[in-house]
Amino acid sequence: MTATNHEKYRPPAEERWTDGIRTEPVRIAVRTEWLYSEYNPKTLLPEGRTRHPFSRSGRVTASDVPSDYAHMQDVAAHLYRAVAAFGDDKDLVIEVRLAGDGTAVPKKAERPATPGPEVVPSEYRVLPTGYRKSPLTGKQHFELRVCWRGAGLETGEDRWAVVHTGSCLAADGTWEHELLPSSRDDDWLARHRFTREEALRLAASSVDDVVINGRTLAQWEQHFASRSEG
């Protein structure tokens, strides 16, 4: 496995996503459920114990950062989303404690009531590195879009897609033509629909690789720069 070039994918501080993201604490309720070996009188155990735990795990019962259906009880998946929700360049503290009175997390995070109409974003532009300083005309063709695609049938949570010129980005980084709604089965939706945070992260990790007429934005800039120098 090739190690990620950390410096390559860390833009200057002013280009990082540090504002306009979550500020309030995230609460995740977990029920621990260990698995134990069968009773064996020959097994050495601490006094008072009769079985050996071979799996010390738990399942999420409620969360402020709901996951997709496939990972709705996955502790690691919820923890990842909780950390990502605060954005880049943040110092966070993770505290794990026993639940007490009044600490239960609602199964579905409630949005604060508003006295009138609510304005919510339905699309984000994701720009490749160096986009704003690039002098190239037509550079908008290298953008990716993260678009709202309704709510999931199982969870009711918003689902988002990463799109580019009629194609959708899959979870494995491949592009496929976006099918008509009537042709999208559960498998296709699982591979091409994400939470907002997942979609933004996937788009940001892929936008520098968008190719138009055989070159990325950076490669076209190098191409025209070499021609002007010649």
Side-chain angles (χ1 to χ4, degrees), residues 32-54:
T32 58
E33 291 183 350
W34 293 12
L35 300 180
Y36 298 81
S37 62
E38 295 183 359
Y39 173 70
N40 185 344
K42 296 182 180 180
T43 301
L44 295 177
L45 295 168
E47 184 177 356
R49 309 294 188 185
T50 59
R51 295 171 181 263
H52 176 73
F54 63 85

Side-chain angles (χ1 to χ4, degrees), residues 10 62 92 164 225:
R10 289 292 290 169
L92 307 177
H164 182 256

Side-chain angles (χ1 to χ4, degrees), residues 205-224:
S205 66
S206 304
V207 67
D208 285 342
D209 297 323
V210 172
V211 173
I212 303 294
N213 293 331
R215 292 185 175 93
T216 65
L217 177 64
Q219 290 169 341
W220 273 116
E221 289 183 331
Q222 294 173 357
H223 172 73
F224 286 117

Side-chain angles (χ1 to χ4, degrees), residues 48-198:
R49 309 294 188 185
T50 59
R51 295 171 181 263
H52 176 73
F54 63 85
S55 174
R56 297 173 171 87
S57 59
R59 58 181 175 84
V60 173
T61 58
S63 175
D64 286 337
V65 284
S67 177
D68 54 61
Y69 181 74
H71 301 94
M72 62 187 303
Q73 293 186 328
D74 189 324
V75 176
H78 282 266
L79 185 58
Y80 174 85
R81 285 169 175 76
V83 171
F86 290 86
D88 196 5
D89 288 335
K90 299 295 190 301
D91 294 314
L92 307 177
V93 175
I94 298 175
E95 178 186 31
V96 179
R97 59 182 173 82
L98 291 173
D101 294 338
T103 62
V105 181
K107 289 190 175 182
K108 196 171 184 180
E110 298 292 337
R111 293 181 178 176
T114 56
E118 182 180 0
V119 179
V120 295
S122 62
E123 183 173 308
Y124 296 87
R125 297 167 60 205
V126 181
L127 313 178
T129 302
Y131 180 94
R132 296 192 182 279
K133 296 181 180 179
S134 174
L136 299 184
T137 58
K139 62 184 180 180
Q140 70 273 11
H141 298 298
F142 292 90
E143 298 180 16
L144 295 183
R145 306 264 173 169
V146 172
C147 302
W148 182 72
R149 287 292 189 262
L153 295 178
E154 295 287 347
T155 64
E157 298 300 323
D158 290 339
R159 309 304 292 158
W160 297 77
V162 181
V163 298
H164 182 256
T165 61
S167 295
C168 267
L169 189 60
D172 62 2
T174 59
W175 289 94
E176 294 184 27
H177 179 71
E178 186 166 24
L179 301 176
L180 293 173
S182 59
S183 300
R184 302 169 188 168
D185 57 20
D186 291 341
D187 178 67
W188 191 92
L189 291 171
R191 291 184 293 111
H192 297 88
R193 294 294 182 262
F194 314 95
T195 64
R196 186 190 65 155
E197 290 76 15
E198 289 173 330

